[in-house]
Amino acid sequence: QVQLVESGGGLVQAGGSLRLSCAASGSTFSPNTMGWYRQAPGSQRELVARIGIGAGTNYADSVKGRFTISRDNAKNTVYLQMNSLKLEDTAVYYCNFVDILRGMEYWGKGTLVTVSS
């Protein structure tokens, strides 16, 4: 089992920045990917960014150039630096952990990001 605890959400004005963190604990020693998804009201959950244990990354087109995902393997923590935030970035952001060997997927409870005008 893997437990994920997110932090860093909140209210920010358009154009501002926020940094999300997600700490993983439990069975984190297997090869894995960590990432962030988001879900806006009335919309499906969508990938924002993910990062492999070797630091390979991929991003949704809508956040490229504005968001940066990184991880600290020693701390089992993944970060999402969000810059130049837009109103449409408002959503609940969920941390995701995929245990590649076991084929298991875990989710955090989510943290709300609200971008105001």
Side-chain angles (χ1 to χ4, degrees):
Q1 285 281 4
V2 173
Q3 295 77 42
L4 302 172
V5 178
E6 302 119 329
S7 61
L11 175 65
V12 63
Q13 284 192 323
S17 298
L18 278 177
R19 188 193 196 206
L20 305 183
S21 300
C22 173
S25 61
S27 301
T28 61
F29 45 83
S30 294
N32 61 77
T33 65
M34 296 186 73
W36 293 93
Y37 287 68
R38 67 187 181 187
Q39 187 167 16
S43 299
Q44 291 190 334
R45 192 173 296 188
E46 62 177 5
L47 172 70
V48 176
R50 60 185 168 206
I51 184 167
I53 200 161
T57 59
N58 62 296
Y59 294 89
D61 288 344
S62 59
V63 307
K64 283 180 180 177
R66 300 188 299 121
F67 291 10
T68 301
I69 190 169
S70 61
R71 64 187 291 167
D72 184 333
N73 292 330
K75 296 181 179 179
N76 293 318
T77 299
V78 64
Y79 305 96
L80 185 68
Q81 178 66 42
M82 305 186 292
N83 298 328
S84 302
L85 282 160
K86 303 177 180 180
L87 297 179
E88 52 263 41
D89 294 319
T90 295
V92 177
Y93 283 70
Y94 295 92
C95 182
N96 174 265
F97 180 103
V98 177
D99 183 326
I100 296 170
L101 286 181
R102 294 184 173 85
M104 300 292 290
E105 187 172 34
Y106 303 90
W107 294 93
K109 293 182 178 180
T111 185
L112 177 63
V113 172
T114 303
V115 184
S116 65
S117 59

Tab-separated table of all heavy atoms in Angstrom, residues 23-75:
chain	number	residue	atom	x	y	z
A	23	ALA	N	3.733	13.892	-0.668
A	23	ALA	CA	4.646	12.967	-0.017
A	23	ALA	C	4.052	11.568	-0.030
A	23	ALA	O	2.894	11.376	0.376
A	23	ALA	CB	4.908	13.410	1.412
A	24	ALA	N	4.836	10.612	-0.490
A	24	ALA	CA	4.399	9.219	-0.540
A	24	ALA	C	5.047	8.430	0.591
A	24	ALA	O	6.207	8.649	0.918
A	24	ALA	CB	4.772	8.599	-1.883
A	25	SER	N	4.292	7.528	1.157
A	25	SER	CA	4.828	6.646	2.193
A	25	SER	C	4.265	5.250	1.986
A	25	SER	O	3.261	5.065	1.308
A	25	SER	CB	4.478	7.168	3.592
A	25	SER	OG	3.071	7.229	3.765
A	26	GLY	N	4.924	4.274	2.593
A	26	GLY	CA	4.494	2.888	2.434
A	26	GLY	C	5.398	2.168	1.459
A	26	GLY	O	6.608	2.340	1.479
A	27	SER	N	4.812	1.403	0.566
A	27	SER	CA	5.567	0.566	-0.369
A	27	SER	C	6.001	1.368	-1.582
A	27	SER	O	5.520	1.164	-2.703
A	27	SER	CB	4.713	-0.625	-0.796
A	27	SER	OG	4.320	-1.396	0.324
A	28	THR	N	6.956	2.271	-1.359
A	28	THR	CA	7.380	3.182	-2.421
A	28	THR	C	8.660	2.757	-3.102
A	28	THR	O	9.172	3.464	-3.954
A	28	THR	CB	7.564	4.603	-1.853
A	28	THR	OG1	8.584	4.548	-0.848
A	28	THR	CG2	6.278	5.130	-1.253
A	29	PHE	N	9.188	1.582	-2.751
A	29	PHE	CA	10.515	1.213	-3.219
A	29	PHE	C	10.514	0.623	-4.620
A	29	PHE	O	11.557	0.503	-5.247
A	29	PHE	CB	11.146	0.210	-2.248
A	29	PHE	CG	10.197	-0.878	-1.832
A	29	PHE	CD1	10.006	-1.988	-2.633
A	29	PHE	CD2	9.474	-0.781	-0.652
A	29	PHE	CE1	9.127	-2.979	-2.265
A	29	PHE	CE2	8.583	-1.770	-0.278
A	29	PHE	CZ	8.408	-2.881	-1.082
A	30	SER	N	9.344	0.249	-5.138
A	30	SER	CA	9.270	-0.309	-6.485
A	30	SER	C	9.416	0.793	-7.517
A	30	SER	O	9.113	1.954	-7.238
A	30	SER	CB	7.932	-1.007	-6.689
A	30	SER	OG	7.811	-2.129	-5.866
A	31	PRO	N	9.858	0.432	-8.747
A	31	PRO	CA	9.872	1.430	-9.829
A	31	PRO	C	8.491	2.044	-10.000
A	31	PRO	O	7.481	1.329	-9.995
A	31	PRO	CB	10.279	0.609	-11.055
A	31	PRO	CG	11.066	-0.518	-10.489
A	31	PRO	CD	10.413	-0.849	-9.189
A	32	ASN	N	8.448	3.331	-10.137
A	32	ASN	CA	7.154	3.991	-10.144
A	32	ASN	C	7.180	5.277	-10.943
A	32	ASN	O	8.237	5.800	-11.283
A	32	ASN	CB	6.723	4.306	-8.694
A	32	ASN	CG	7.698	5.232	-7.996
A	32	ASN	OD1	7.706	6.445	-8.231
A	32	ASN	ND2	8.515	4.689	-7.106
A	33	THR	N	6.010	5.753	-11.238
A	33	THR	CA	5.836	7.118	-11.729
A	33	THR	C	4.952	7.852	-10.735
A	33	THR	O	4.093	7.254	-10.082
A	33	THR	CB	5.193	7.168	-13.120
A	33	THR	OG1	3.855	6.666	-13.039
A	33	THR	CG2	5.973	6.359	-14.134
A	34	MET	N	5.196	9.140	-10.613
A	34	MET	CA	4.347	9.999	-9.792
A	34	MET	C	3.864	11.143	-10.656
A	34	MET	O	4.540	11.542	-11.611
A	34	MET	CB	5.095	10.528	-8.576
A	34	MET	CG	5.516	9.438	-7.605
A	34	MET	SD	6.253	10.071	-6.084
A	34	MET	CE	4.789	10.725	-5.239
A	35	GLY	N	2.701	11.636	-10.323
A	35	GLY	CA	2.172	12.692	-11.158
A	35	GLY	C	1.043	13.446	-10.510
A	35	GLY	O	0.659	13.175	-9.369
A	36	TRP	N	0.541	14.406	-11.270
A	36	TRP	CA	-0.573	15.237	-10.841
A	36	TRP	C	-1.669	15.202	-11.898
A	36	TRP	O	-1.393	15.323	-13.094
A	36	TRP	CB	-0.121	16.679	-10.632
A	36	TRP	CG	0.814	16.843	-9.483
A	36	TRP	CD1	2.175	16.823	-9.521
A	36	TRP	CD2	0.458	17.039	-8.116
A	36	TRP	NE1	2.693	16.986	-8.261
A	36	TRP	CE2	1.654	17.133	-7.376
A	36	TRP	CE3	-0.757	17.162	-7.436
A	36	TRP	CZ2	1.669	17.340	-5.990
A	36	TRP	CZ3	-0.746	17.365	-6.072
A	36	TRP	CH2	0.456	17.453	-5.359
A	37	TYR	N	-2.865	15.028	-11.423
A	37	TYR	CA	-4.059	15.137	-12.250
A	37	TYR	C	-4.922	16.235	-11.641
A	37	TYR	O	-4.724	16.624	-10.496
A	37	TYR	CB	-4.838	13.814	-12.259
A	37	TYR	CG	-4.189	12.709	-13.057
A	37	TYR	CD1	-3.000	12.112	-12.646
A	37	TYR	CD2	-4.759	12.251	-14.244
A	37	TYR	CE1	-2.410	11.104	-13.392
A	37	TYR	CE2	-4.187	11.238	-14.993
A	37	TYR	CZ	-3.010	10.664	-14.551
A	37	TYR	OH	-2.427	9.653	-15.291
A	38	ARG	N	-5.871	16.699	-12.418
A	38	ARG	CA	-6.790	17.698	-11.877
A	38	ARG	C	-8.199	17.450	-12.410
A	38	ARG	O	-8.385	16.865	-13.473
A	38	ARG	CB	-6.349	19.112	-12.217
A	38	ARG	CG	-6.412	19.472	-13.694
A	38	ARG	CD	-5.784	20.850	-13.924
A	38	ARG	NE	-5.844	21.236	-15.331
A	38	ARG	CZ	-5.252	22.320	-15.814
A	38	ARG	NH1	-4.559	23.123	-15.002
A	38	ARG	NH2	-5.346	22.615	-17.096
A	39	GLN	N	-9.141	17.922	-11.620
A	39	GLN	CA	-10.539	17.787	-12.006
A	39	GLN	C	-11.264	19.066	-11.666
A	39	GLN	O	-11.364	19.442	-10.495
A	39	GLN	CB	-11.194	16.599	-11.298
A	39	GLN	CG	-12.593	16.304	-11.790
A	39	GLN	CD	-13.101	14.957	-11.312
A	39	GLN	OE1	-12.561	14.357	-10.379
A	39	GLN	NE2	-14.121	14.430	-11.972
A	40	ALA	N	-11.745	19.726	-12.697
A	40	ALA	CA	-12.538	20.939	-12.521
A	40	ALA	C	-14.014	20.560	-12.402
A	40	ALA	O	-14.414	19.483	-12.861
A	40	ALA	CB	-12.321	21.879	-13.693
A	41	PRO	N	-14.818	21.413	-11.814
A	41	PRO	CA	-16.255	21.107	-11.677
A	41	PRO	C	-16.880	20.803	-13.038
A	41	PRO	O	-16.693	21.548	-13.997
A	41	PRO	CB	-16.830	22.392	-11.077
A	41	PRO	CG	-15.696	23.007	-10.347
A	41	PRO	CD	-14.473	22.691	-11.170
A	42	GLY	N	-17.594	19.698	-13.092
A	42	GLY	CA	-18.278	19.329	-14.322
A	42	GLY	C	-17.390	18.722	-15.382
A	42	GLY	O	-17.849	18.456	-16.501
A	43	SER	N	-16.120	18.495	-15.049
A	43	SER	CA	-15.182	17.957	-16.032
A	43	SER	C	-14.596	16.642	-15.548
A	43	SER	O	-14.664	16.317	-14.366
A	43	SER	CB	-14.048	18.947	-16.288
A	43	SER	OG	-14.535	20.151	-16.804
A	44	GLN	N	-14.005	15.910	-16.478
A	44	GLN	CA	-13.339	14.667	-16.098
A	44	GLN	C	-11.947	14.964	-15.554
A	44	GLN	O	-11.344	15.999	-15.859
A	44	GLN	CB	-13.242	13.747	-17.323
A	44	GLN	CG	-14.583	13.199	-17.779
A	44	GLN	CD	-14.440	12.120	-18.834
A	44	GLN	OE1	-13.454	12.088	-19.572
A	44	GLN	NE2	-15.410	11.223	-18.912
A	45	ARG	N	-11.451	14.021	-14.797
A	45	ARG	CA	-10.091	14.150	-14.294
A	45	ARG	C	-9.121	14.044	-15.469
A	45	ARG	O	-9.278	13.180	-16.342
A	45	ARG	CB	-9.802	13.064	-13.261
A	45	ARG	CG	-8.541	13.277	-12.469
A	45	ARG	CD	-8.404	12.253	-11.355
A	45	ARG	NE	-9.471	12.374	-10.373
A	45	ARG	CZ	-9.485	11.697	-9.225
A	45	ARG	NH1	-8.494	10.879	-8.921
A	45	ARG	NH2	-10.494	11.833	-8.385
A	46	GLU	N	-8.118	14.915	-15.480
A	46	GLU	CA	-7.163	14.933	-16.579
A	46	GLU	C	-5.733	14.987	-16.057
A	46	GLU	O	-5.461	15.535	-14.981
A	46	GLU	CB	-7.405	16.151	-17.482
A	46	GLU	CG	-7.228	17.495	-16.806
A	46	GLU	CD	-7.396	18.660	-17.756
A	46	GLU	OE1	-7.741	18.467	-18.923
A	46	GLU	OE2	-7.170	19.801	-17.301
A	47	LEU	N	-4.836	14.446	-16.841
A	47	LEU	CA	-3.428	14.483	-16.503
A	47	LEU	C	-2.912	15.905	-16.618
A	47	LEU	O	-3.184	16.592	-17.602
A	47	LEU	CB	-2.632	13.577	-17.441
A	47	LEU	CG	-1.116	13.657	-17.315
A	47	LEU	CD1	-0.653	13.060	-16.004
A	47	LEU	CD2	-0.453	12.957	-18.496
A	48	VAL	N	-2.144	16.319	-15.623
A	48	VAL	CA	-1.441	17.604	-15.673
A	48	VAL	C	0.024	17.355	-16.025
A	48	VAL	O	0.553	17.909	-16.979
A	48	VAL	CB	-1.544	18.349	-14.329
A	48	VAL	CG1	-0.732	19.637	-14.380
A	48	VAL	CG2	-2.994	18.628	-13.972
A	49	ALA	N	0.675	16.497	-15.248
A	49	ALA	CA	2.084	16.195	-15.479
A	49	ALA	C	2.443	14.935	-14.713
A	49	ALA	O	1.825	14.629	-13.692
A	49	ALA	CB	2.974	17.352	-15.020
A	50	ARG	N	3.428	14.223	-15.218
A	50	ARG	CA	3.929	13.064	-14.474
A	50	ARG	C	5.423	12.941	-14.711
A	50	ARG	O	5.964	13.452	-15.689
A	50	ARG	CB	3.188	11.786	-14.850
A	50	ARG	CG	3.280	11.380	-16.281
A	50	ARG	CD	2.403	10.161	-16.540
A	50	ARG	NE	2.244	9.927	-17.956
A	50	ARG	CZ	1.205	9.305	-18.483
A	50	ARG	NH1	0.238	8.852	-17.710
A	50	ARG	NH2	1.131	9.137	-19.777
A	51	ILE	N	6.042	12.210	-13.786
A	51	ILE	CA	7.493	12.072	-13.806
A	51	ILE	C	7.870	10.675	-13.385
A	51	ILE	O	7.333	10.125	-12.413
A	51	ILE	CB	8.142	13.152	-12.900
A	51	ILE	CG1	9.657	13.099	-12.975
A	51	ILE	CG2	7.651	13.029	-11.454
A	51	ILE	CD1	10.328	14.327	-12.350
A	52	GLY	N	8.791	10.083	-14.121
A	52	GLY	CA	9.271	8.760	-13.787
A	52	GLY	C	10.388	8.828	-12.761
A	52	GLY	O	10.908	9.903	-12.448
A	53	ILE	N	10.776	7.683	-12.265
A	53	ILE	CA	11.816	7.660	-11.240
A	53	ILE	C	13.147	8.102	-11.833
A	53	ILE	O	14.028	8.564	-11.103
A	53	ILE	CB	11.898	6.269	-10.593
A	53	ILE	CG1	12.590	6.356	-9.241
A	53	ILE	CG2	12.570	5.259	-11.527
A	53	ILE	CD1	12.346	5.181	-8.338
A	54	GLY	N	13.288	8.012	-13.135
A	54	GLY	CA	14.489	8.505	-13.795
A	54	GLY	C	14.370	9.945	-14.238
A	54	GLY	O	15.231	10.477	-14.935
A	55	ALA	N	13.280	10.608	-13.818
A	55	ALA	CA	13.040	12.037	-14.049
A	55	ALA	C	12.534	12.378	-15.442
A	55	ALA	O	12.475	13.557	-15.801
A	55	ALA	CB	14.259	12.889	-13.710
A	56	GLY	N	12.173	11.365	-16.233
A	56	GLY	CA	11.506	11.682	-17.483
A	56	GLY	C	10.133	12.256	-17.203
A	56	GLY	O	9.437	11.808	-16.294
A	57	THR	N	9.724	13.272	-17.968
A	57	THR	CA	8.479	13.956	-17.675
A	57	THR	C	7.583	14.052	-18.897
A	57	THR	O	8.053	13.963	-20.040
A	57	THR	CB	8.735	15.393	-17.185
A	57	THR	OG1	9.449	16.108	-18.196
A	57	THR	CG2	9.557	15.408	-15.909
A	58	ASN	N	6.298	14.214	-18.649
A	58	ASN	CA	5.414	14.656	-19.714
A	58	ASN	C	4.326	15.531	-19.114
A	58	ASN	O	3.991	15.413	-17.930
A	58	ASN	CB	4.833	13.500	-20.534
A	58	ASN	CG	3.971	12.561	-19.750
A	58	ASN	OD1	4.441	11.901	-18.844
A	58	ASN	ND2	2.703	12.496	-20.103
A	59	TYR	N	3.829	16.436	-19.940
A	59	TYR	CA	2.908	17.477	-19.502
A	59	TYR	C	1.707	17.554	-20.428
A	59	TYR	O	1.802	17.287	-21.630
A	59	TYR	CB	3.590	18.850	-19.533
A	59	TYR	CG	4.718	19.030	-18.562
A	59	TYR	CD1	6.017	18.705	-18.907
A	59	TYR	CD2	4.484	19.540	-17.287
A	59	TYR	CE1	7.060	18.871	-18.028
A	59	TYR	CE2	5.522	19.727	-16.388
A	59	TYR	CZ	6.814	19.381	-16.768
A	59	TYR	OH	7.839	19.561	-15.875
A	60	ALA	N	0.602	17.986	-19.864
A	60	ALA	CA	-0.533	18.354	-20.701
A	60	ALA	C	-0.156	19.593	-21.503
A	60	ALA	O	0.574	20.462	-21.006
A	60	ALA	CB	-1.749	18.650	-19.826
A	61	ASP	N	-0.648	19.667	-22.722
A	61	ASP	CA	-0.329	20.824	-23.566
A	61	ASP	C	-0.727	22.136	-22.902
A	61	ASP	O	-0.062	23.166	-23.068
A	61	ASP	CB	-1.036	20.698	-24.919
A	61	ASP	CG	-0.416	19.629	-25.803
A	61	ASP	OD1	0.718	19.196	-25.522
A	61	ASP	OD2	-1.074	19.200	-26.773
A	62	SER	N	-1.800	22.108	-22.149
A	62	SER	CA	-2.340	23.336	-21.557
A	62	SER	C	-1.434	23.932	-20.476
A	62	SER	O	-1.606	25.097	-20.102
A	62	SER	CB	-3.722	23.068	-20.967
A	62	SER	OG	-3.658	22.059	-19.981
A	63	VAL	N	-0.489	23.140	-19.970
A	63	VAL	CA	0.371	23.648	-18.893
A	63	VAL	C	1.839	23.738	-19.293
A	63	VAL	O	2.661	24.225	-18.502
A	63	VAL	CB	0.230	22.796	-17.613
A	63	VAL	CG1	-1.235	22.677	-17.201
A	63	VAL	CG2	0.861	21.424	-17.780
A	64	LYS	N	2.174	23.284	-20.473
A	64	LYS	CA	3.572	23.328	-20.913
A	64	LYS	C	4.084	24.760	-20.894
A	64	LYS	O	3.423	25.683	-21.350
A	64	LYS	CB	3.697	22.744	-22.321
A	64	LYS	CG	3.636	21.235	-22.370
A	64	LYS	CD	3.776	20.720	-23.804
A	64	LYS	CE	3.707	19.209	-23.850
A	64	LYS	NZ	3.764	18.685	-25.233
A	65	GLY	N	5.284	24.910	-20.346
A	65	GLY	CA	5.889	26.233	-20.252
A	65	GLY	C	5.477	27.015	-19.023
A	65	GLY	O	6.068	28.054	-18.718
A	66	ARG	N	4.458	26.531	-18.304
A	66	ARG	CA	3.998	27.229	-17.092
A	66	ARG	C	4.197	26.389	-15.840
A	66	ARG	O	4.482	26.932	-14.771
A	66	ARG	CB	2.517	27.595	-17.229
A	66	ARG	CG	2.192	28.502	-18.391
A	66	ARG	CD	0.733	28.971	-18.353
A	66	ARG	NE	-0.220	27.881	-18.438
A	66	ARG	CZ	-1.141	27.607	-17.523
A	66	ARG	NH1	-1.234	28.347	-16.436
A	66	ARG	NH2	-1.981	26.596	-17.694
A	67	PHE	N	4.013	25.081	-15.957
A	67	PHE	CA	4.128	24.183	-14.809
A	67	PHE	C	5.401	23.346	-14.940
A	67	PHE	O	5.798	22.980	-16.048
A	67	PHE	CB	2.942	23.228	-14.754
A	67	PHE	CG	1.621	23.868	-14.410
A	67	PHE	CD1	1.452	25.242	-14.365
A	67	PHE	CD2	0.518	23.066	-14.128
A	67	PHE	CE1	0.230	25.811	-14.053
A	67	PHE	CE2	-0.712	23.624	-13.817
A	67	PHE	CZ	-0.849	24.994	-13.792
A	68	THR	N	5.984	23.039	-13.795
A	68	THR	CA	7.155	22.168	-13.768
A	68	THR	C	6.975	21.119	-12.690
A	68	THR	O	6.714	21.445	-11.531
A	68	THR	CB	8.429	22.977	-13.478
A	68	THR	OG1	8.600	23.983	-14.470
A	68	THR	CG2	9.655	22.065	-13.501
A	69	ILE	N	7.119	19.863	-13.085
A	69	ILE	CA	7.051	18.772	-12.126
A	69	ILE	C	8.463	18.312	-11.795
A	69	ILE	O	9.341	18.301	-12.659
A	69	ILE	CB	6.194	17.606	-12.670
A	69	ILE	CG1	5.912	16.583	-11.567
A	69	ILE	CG2	6.840	16.945	-13.882
A	69	ILE	CD1	4.869	15.537	-11.945
A	70	SER	N	8.676	17.980	-10.532
A	70	SER	CA	9.976	17.470	-10.101
A	70	SER	C	9.758	16.486	-8.960
A	70	SER	O	8.664	16.420	-8.391
A	70	SER	CB	10.891	18.619	-9.660
A	70	SER	OG	10.316	19.319	-8.570
A	71	ARG	N	10.770	15.729	-8.655
A	71	ARG	CA	10.649	14.791	-7.549
A	71	ARG	C	11.956	14.695	-6.786
A	71	ARG	O	13.032	14.878	-7.353
A	71	ARG	CB	10.203	13.415	-8.049
A	71	ARG	CG	11.154	12.701	-8.962
A	71	ARG	CD	10.514	11.428	-9.533
A	71	ARG	NE	10.330	10.402	-8.506
A	71	ARG	CZ	9.580	9.317	-8.667
A	71	ARG	NH1	8.929	9.121	-9.811
A	71	ARG	NH2	9.481	8.428	-7.703
A	72	ASP	N	11.822	14.374	-5.514
A	72	ASP	CA	12.945	14.105	-4.635
A	72	ASP	C	12.800	12.659	-4.203
A	72	ASP	O	11.972	12.350	-3.330
A	72	ASP	CB	12.911	15.066	-3.447
A	72	ASP	CG	14.120	14.911	-2.532
A	72	ASP	OD1	14.693	13.799	-2.488
A	72	ASP	OD2	14.473	15.881	-1.850
A	73	ASN	N	13.566	11.776	-4.815
A	73	ASN	CA	13.410	10.349	-4.532
A	73	ASN	C	13.780	10.000	-3.096
A	73	ASN	O	13.221	9.078	-2.506
A	73	ASN	CB	14.242	9.525	-5.509
A	73	ASN	CG	13.697	9.601	-6.925
A	73	ASN	OD1	12.499	9.764	-7.141
A	73	ASN	ND2	14.579	9.486	-7.906
A	74	ALA	N	14.730	10.735	-2.530
A	74	ALA	CA	15.128	10.463	-1.144
A	74	ALA	C	13.977	10.747	-0.177
A	74	ALA	O	13.858	10.111	0.868
A	74	ALA	CB	16.338	11.298	-0.778
A	75	LYS	N	13.122	11.702	-0.542
A	75	LYS	CA	11.990	12.075	0.313
A	75	LYS	C	10.677	11.480	-0.188
A	75	LYS	O	9.619	11.716	0.404
A	75	LYS	CB	11.853	13.594	0.375
A	75	LYS	CG	13.035	14.303	1.027
A	75	LYS	CD	12.801	15.814	1.072
A	75	LYS	CE	13.970	16.518	1.735
A	75	LYS	NZ	13.778	17.994	1.779
